[in-house]
C-alpha cells in the first residue's frame, strides 16, 4: 500500500472538524515510492474549507518528511509522532507546535460508548 492517491491521504485525515482545530498548513514529502520517488501533499487545515491536495504548498507552516510505510503507521496509530521524530523516521521543518498536532489530526475519532 502506498500514499499515492489523494483518496488515500484524505482518508488519513479523519474529519474536517479536526482540521479546523489544528489551524495550519502542512506540507508532506512522502518518500519511498516506486523507484525511490517522493510525493508531495498539502493539507490545508485552516480556514472555512480545509482540504488535501497533491503538490507541495506555496508556504507551509510545518513541513513533514516521512517514509510511505511510516506515514501509514502514523495514520493507523501504530506509530506515534514523537516516536517517529525521535527515531529519525520523520523530519520536521517549521512550527514544532503545529507538528505536535499531527496526532490529533490523524487520530481516529473516539467512540462515545
Amino acid at each position: 500500500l502506498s500514499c499515492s492517491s489523494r483518496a488515500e491521504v484524505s482518508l488519513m485525515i479523519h474529519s474536517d472538524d479536526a482540521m479546523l482545530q489544528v489551524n495550519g498548513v502542512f506540507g508532506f514529502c512522502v518518500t519511498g515510492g516506486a523507484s525511490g520517488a517522493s510525493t508531495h501533499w498539502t493539507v490545508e487545515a485552516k480556514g472555512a474549507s480545509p482540504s488535501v491536495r497533491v503538490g507541495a504548498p506555496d508556504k507551509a507552516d510545518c513541513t513533514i518528511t516521512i517514509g510511505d510505510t511510516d506515514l501509514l503507521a502514523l495514520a493507523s496509530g501504530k506509530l506515534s509522532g514523537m516516536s517517529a521524530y525521535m527515531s529519525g523516521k520523520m523530519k520536521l521543518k517549521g512550527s514544532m507546535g503545529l507538528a505536535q498536532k499531527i496526532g490529533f489530526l490523524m487520530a481516529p475519532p473516539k467512540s462515545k460508548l
Side-chain angles (χ1 to χ4, degrees), residues 3-7 9 28 39-43 51-57:
C3 297
S4 58
S5 75
R6 182 186 180 284
V9 174
F28 282 89
T39 304
H40 295 271
W41 294 95
T42 298
V43 176
S51 65
V52 176
R53 66 176 171 80
V54 174

Side-chain angles (χ1 to χ4, degrees), residues 7 9-10 13 24-25 31 40 59 67 78 83 85 106-107:
V9 174
S10 294
I13 310 301
V25 177
T31 62
H40 295 271
K59 182 171 167 61
K78 293 178 183 173
S83 294
Y85 178 75
M106 293 186 166

Side-chain angles (χ1 to χ4, degrees), residues 1-5 8-9 12 30 39 41 67-69 71-72:
L1 185 60
S2 68
C3 297
S4 58
S5 75
E8 287 172 319
V9 174
M12 291 179 193
V30 183
T39 304
W41 294 95
D68 186 68
T69 55
L71 179 58
L72 293 171

Side-chain angles (χ1 to χ4, degrees), residues 11-109:
L11 287 172
M12 291 179 193
I13 310 301
H14 292 285
S15 75
D16 284 350
D17 289 339
M19 288 180 71
L20 291 173
Q21 291 178 36
V22 169
N23 195 30
V25 177
F26 288 94
F28 282 89
C29 176
V30 183
T31 62
S35 301
S38 296
T39 304
H40 295 271
W41 294 95
T42 298
V43 176
E44 298 237 11
K46 67 183 195 180
S49 300
S51 65
V52 176
R53 66 176 171 80
V54 174
D58 293 331
K59 182 171 167 61
D61 299 310
C62 179
T63 301
I64 297 172
T65 301
I66 189 167
D68 186 68
T69 55
D70 294 324
L71 179 58
L72 293 171
L74 183 69
S76 68
K78 293 178 183 173
L79 177 66
S80 75
M82 184 62 72
S83 294
Y85 178 75
M86 296 302 283
S87 66
K89 293 179 179 182
M90 179 171 69
K91 301 201 183 324
L92 303 173
K93 183 179 177 186
S95 172
M96 180 66 82
L98 189 60
Q100 291 174 338
K101 294 180 181 182
I102 195 68
F104 174 73
L105 187 66
M106 293 186 166

